[in-house]
C-alpha cells in the first residue's frame, strides 16, 4: 500500500470478505493489498529468499507437499538462479519461478502469499519486517534476529500487519516433543528446578584468504546488507556464523534449537539474570565467536544452564540412547541433550533422531518412559503447521513472539560472554539490561544505509 490509510481501507475490505466467505469454507490468502479468495486446496504461492543451502532444502520440502508453489527465487548470488529454477520447475509442472537478486522486487506482487527466509541471520529481522509490511506471511529460519531490539521489531511488524510468522525452530512441531510437553504438564515429573542444555560438536577454525573483488554475479553490497562494510572474501559464504557482524556463534546457529525446546518444556519466559563465560580456547584462526561457552539463566525457582564445546568428536551418543545427528551425514560429530531435573524423576530429551526418557532410579537407569521420535526430522510437520496457520490465520507452533523470547537467552548470554562473564539483570517489561550502559550497547546494532530496521515498522 502507498499509505497507511490505503492499507487500513484494504485490510477492512479483506476482513469483511473473510467474514462473508468463512461459512463457505473459503480462506483468504495473500496480502493487505490484494483481496484474494482462495479455496482451501489451492496452492500456497511462495517466494524463496536465500536458496544456497538451508533455503534450498526448505523450498524443496515445501514443493514436496504438492500444495505449494515457488513463484520467486530471490538470491543475491545469480549463479544459483538457473539451477534452482530448473529444480523447482521440475516439481511444479514445469512452471519456472522468476529469479531476482533483490527480494524487494517481489514484495509488490499480490500473487505471492508468503516468503521463506533463509539468508544469513543478519538479514532475518529486516527481511521479515519488509515482508510483513508488504502483506506477506513469513517462514523465517532461526536465528530470527541479530540483536534484541530488532527481534522485538519483527514481532511488532507481525502483529501490526496481522501476519503469520513461523520461526524455523521445528522442534515445536515434533510429535515426540509434543508428547514430552504433555507428560510434563500432567505433573508426572513434578516441579522442575534445574534444566541443563548440552551442545557438543566438532568444528575447525578457519583462516581468511586474500580479499578479492566479488564475482560479477554476486550482489555483495546487498549480501552484506545491514552489517558494517567489509571487503569480499570467498570464505564468508561458509564462515559467517563465526563472526559477530553476522551471527552469534554456535549458540545462535544451533544452540537456539535446544534452548527453545528447554524454555518451552520448562514453561518459562524471561530470565531474571544471565551469566556466561567462554571464548576461543581450543584453536587459532579468524573465528570470533566462542568454541567453549557456559551460561546460567536464572528464572523464578528454576536454573537453566547451557554448555557448549566445539572440539568434541567423541560426543556422538550417550549411554542411554538419547542421541542426535545420526540422520545428518554431513554432521557426523554432533551431540545435544536436554536434562530436566524434577522432584519425581529425571527426563532426558534428545533432538533429531533420539527421543526422550524418564528415570526414577538413577542407580539402575531403567527408563519408565521412552518415546522415540516419530518421523524423525520434524521439518515436514513444521511446514504443515505453517501452511495450516496461513490458511486458518491462527498463530503457528513457533510463533515469532515465542522465537524472540528464546533468542533473548542467546543474546543475553553472548553479551555477558563478550563482557568477560558479567552478570546481567533483566527487566522483563522492556527486555533491557538494567544499570549497565556498556551491556546495553549490544542491545541494538548500528545499521548501514540503506539496510536499516526502522523505529516505526
Amino acid at each position: 500500500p502507498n499509505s497507511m490509510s490505503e492499507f487500513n481501507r484494504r485490510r477492512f475490505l479483506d476482513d469483511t470478505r473473510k467474514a462473508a466467505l468463512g461459512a463457505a469454507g473459503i480462506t483468504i490468502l495473500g496480502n493487505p493489498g490484494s483481496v484474494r479468495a482462495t479455496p482451501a486446496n489451492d496452492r500456497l504461492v511462495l517466494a524463496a529468499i536465500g536458496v544456497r543451502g538451508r533455503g534450498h532444502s526448505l523450498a524443496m520440502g515445501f514443493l514436496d507437499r504438492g500444495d505449494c508453489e515457488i513463484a520467486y527465487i530471490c538470491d543475491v548470488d545469480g549463479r544459483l538462479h538457473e539451477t534452482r529454477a530448473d529444480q523447482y520447475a521440475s516439481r511444479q509442472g514445469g512452471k519456472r519461478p522468476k529469479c531476482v537478486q533483490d527480494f524487494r522486487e517481489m514484495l509488490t506482487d499480490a500473487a505471492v502469499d508468503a516468503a521463506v527466509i533463509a539468508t544469513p541471520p543478519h538479514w532475518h529481522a529486516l527481511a521479515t519486517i519488509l515482508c510483513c509490511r508488504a502483506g506477506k506471511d513469513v517462514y523465517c529460519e532461526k536465528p530470527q534476529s541479530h540483536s534484541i531490539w530488532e527481534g522485538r521489531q519483527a514481532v511488532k511488524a507481525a502483529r501490526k500487519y496481522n501476519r503469520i510468522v513461523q520461526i524455523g525452530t521445528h522442534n515445536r512441531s515434533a510429535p515426540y516433543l509434543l508428547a514430552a510437553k504433555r507428560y510434563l504438564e500432567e505433573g508426572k515429573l513434578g516441579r522442575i528446578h534445574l534444566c541443563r542444555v548440552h551442545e557438543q560438536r566438532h568444528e575447525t577454525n578457519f583462516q581468511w584468504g586474500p580479499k578479492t573483488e566479488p564475482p560479477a554475479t554476486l550482489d555483495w553490497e546487498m549480501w552484506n546488507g545491514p552489517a558494517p562494510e567489509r571487503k569480499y572474501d570467498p570464505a564468508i559464504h561458509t564462515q559467517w556464523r563465526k563472526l559477530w557482524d553476522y551471527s552469534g556463534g554456535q549458540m545462535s546457529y544451533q544452540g537456539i534449537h535446544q534452548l527453545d525446546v528447554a524454555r518451552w518444556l520448562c514453561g518459562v519466559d524471561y530470565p531474571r539474570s544471565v551469566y556466561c563465560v567462554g571464548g576461543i580456547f581450543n584453536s587459532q584462526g579468524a573465528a570470533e565467536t566462542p568454541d567453549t561457552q557456559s551460561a546460567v539463566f536464572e528464572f523464578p525457582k528454576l536454573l537453566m544452564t547451557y554448555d557448549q564445546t566445539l572440539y568434541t568428536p567423541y560426543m556422538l551418543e550417550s549411554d542411554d540412547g538419547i542421541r542426535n545427528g545420526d540422520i545428518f551425514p554431513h554432521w557426523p560429530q554432533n551431540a545435544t541433550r536436554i536434562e530436566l531435573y524434577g522432584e519425581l524423576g529425571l527426563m532426558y530429551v534428545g533432538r533429531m533422531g533420539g527421543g526422550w526418557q524418564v528415570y526414577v532410579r538413577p542407580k539402575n537407569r531403567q527408563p519408565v518412559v521412552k518415546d522415540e521420535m516419530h518421523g524423525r526430522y520434524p521439518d515436514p510437520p513444521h511446514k504443515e503447521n505453517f501452511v495450516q496457520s496461513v490458511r486458518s490465520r491462527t498463530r503457528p507452533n513457533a510463533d515469532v513472539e515465542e522465537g524472540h523470547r528464546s533468542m533473548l537467552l542467546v543474546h543475553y548470554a553472548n553479551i555477558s560472554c563478550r563482557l568477560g562473564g558479567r552478570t546481567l539483570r533483566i527487566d522483563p517489561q522492556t527486555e533491557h539490561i538494567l544499570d549497565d550502559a556498556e551491556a546495553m550497547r549490544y542491545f541494538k546494532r548500528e545499521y548501514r544505509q540503506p539496510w536499516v530496521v526502522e523505529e516505526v515498522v
Side-chain angles (χ1 to χ4, degrees), residues 176-190 192 194-198 261-262 265-266 320 322 337-350 355-360 362 365 367-371:
Y176 86 114
L177 281 174
L178 293 169
K181 179 68 171 173
R182 287 193 298 271
Y183 185 93
L184 296 172
E185 288 176 342
E186 291 168 359
K188 295 179 180 178
L189 207 67
I192 301 167
L194 176 65
C195 176
R196 300 170 64 189
V197 179
H198 301 273
V261 170
L265 293 180
C266 291
D320 52 34
I322 301 299
R337 188 167 72 189
I338 301 167
E339 302 171 358
L340 294 91
Y341 293 79
E343 299 170 297
L344 307 178
L346 166 64
M347 176 183 281
Y348 282 177
V349 180
W356 57 275
Q357 294 178 311
V358 174
Y359 301 93
V360 294
R365 299 179 64 82
V368 296
V369 174
K370 182 173 182 178
D371 183 70

Side-chain angles (χ1 to χ4, degrees), residues 25 124 157 182 199 223 238 281 283 299 303-304 319 369 428 442:
H124 285 178
R182 287 193 298 271
E199 175 78 19
W223 190 99
T238 57
F281 297 160
S283 61
F299 296 91
L303 288 181
M304 183 182 296
D319 58 2
V369 174
Y442 294 100

Side-chain angles (χ1 to χ4, degrees), residues 78-100:
R79 291 173 296 185
L80 298 173
H81 288 177
E82 289 305 308
T83 300
R84 295 293 188 251
D86 289 341
Q87 291 170 312
Y88 301 164
S90 69
R91 294 186 176 223
Q92 53 188 30
K95 188 173 183 179
R96 291 178 66 81
K98 297 178 183 178
C99 297
V100 298

Side-chain angles (χ1 to χ4, degrees), residues 46-351:
L46 305 174
I49 304 177
V51 293
R52 174 175 291 274
R54 176 60 176 159
H56 175 55
S57 174
L58 285 170
M60 295 292 272
F62 276 110
L63 290 177
D64 285 343
R65 292 177 49 85
D67 60 356
C68 295
E69 171 189 313
I70 305 295
Y72 281 84
I73 292 171
C74 312
D75 199 292
V76 294
D77 190 349
R79 291 173 296 185
L80 298 173
H81 288 177
E82 289 305 308
T83 300
R84 295 293 188 251
D86 289 341
Q87 291 170 312
Y88 301 164
S90 69
R91 294 186 176 223
Q92 53 188 30
K95 188 173 183 179
R96 291 178 66 81
K98 297 178 183 178
C99 297
V100 298
Q101 287 183 296
D102 189 334
F103 73 89
R104 294 173 299 177
E105 292 183 34
M106 69 81 186
L107 294 178
T108 56
D109 191 335
V112 175
D113 300 309
V116 180
I117 301 172
T119 63
H122 68 296
W123 256 109
H124 285 178
L126 179 54
T128 296
I129 291 167
L130 293 178
C131 288
C132 287
R133 186 183 294 169
K136 315 301 182 188
D137 294 318
V138 174
Y139 184 109
C140 182
E141 260 306 314
K142 53 76 201 165
Q144 71 191 77
S145 61
H146 186 269
S147 72
I148 297 168
W149 181 81
E150 73 174 24
R152 176 51 63 187
Q153 292 297 95
V155 176
K156 289 180 180 178
R159 299 297 183 254
K160 179 176 181 178
Y161 300 108
N162 195 27
R163 294 297 93 197
I164 300 298
V165 179
Q166 174 92 300
I167 304 304
T169 43
H170 44 228
N171 301 284
R172 293 243 177 181
S173 297
Y176 86 114
L177 281 174
L178 293 169
K181 179 68 171 173
R182 287 193 298 271
Y183 185 93
L184 296 172
E185 288 176 342
E186 291 168 359
K188 295 179 180 178
L189 207 67
R191 289 176 295 182
I192 301 167
H193 298 303
L194 176 65
C195 176
R196 300 170 64 189
V197 179
H198 301 273
E199 175 78 19
Q200 286 91 33
R201 282 175 65 89
H202 181 63
E203 293 205 1
T204 58
N205 210 315
F206 76 100
Q207 302 291 340
W208 289 117
K211 301 298 182 289
T212 64
E213 289 298 314
T217 55
L218 176 66
D219 186 342
W220 174 244
E221 274 295 300
M222 189 163 189
W223 190 99
N224 210 38
E229 185 175 356
R230 180 188 293 264
K231 294 292 185 181
Y232 176 75
D233 188 303
I236 194 73
H237 287 300
T238 57
Q239 304 300 332
W240 51 260
R241 68 183 184 276
K242 299 176 184 177
L243 302 169
W244 292 120
D245 282 346
Y246 305 107
S247 184
Q250 181 66 13
M251 184 187 281
S252 176
Y253 182 62
Q254 287 294 332
I256 179 58
H257 278 300
Q258 283 65 254
L259 285 168
D260 180 64
V261 170
R263 191 182 69 80
W264 177 44
L265 293 180
C266 291
V268 292
D269 288 319
Y270 293 96
R272 291 175 173 174
S273 68
V274 178
Y275 164 84
C276 181
V277 292
I280 302 174
F281 297 160
N282 188 61
S283 61
Q284 299 297 315
E288 300 169 351
T289 58
D291 61 20
T292 308
Q293 203 165 1
S294 185
V296 178
F297 307 93
E298 180 193 7
F299 296 91
K301 297 184 178 180
L302 171 74
L303 288 181
M304 183 182 296
T305 67
Y306 172 89
D307 293 294
Q308 169 188 299
T309 56
L310 300 187
Y311 42 84
T312 48
Y314 44 85
M315 297 298 293
L316 297 180
E317 182 174 343
S318 59
D319 58 2
D320 52 34
I322 301 299
R323 60 195 182 279
N324 180 48
D326 57 337
I327 61 172
F328 288 112
H330 59 293
W331 289 356
Q333 298 167 335
N334 178 44
T336 67
R337 188 167 72 189
I338 301 167
E339 302 171 358
L340 294 91
Y341 293 79
E343 299 170 297
L344 307 178
L346 166 64
M347 176 183 281
Y348 282 177
V349 180
R351 172 178 168 250

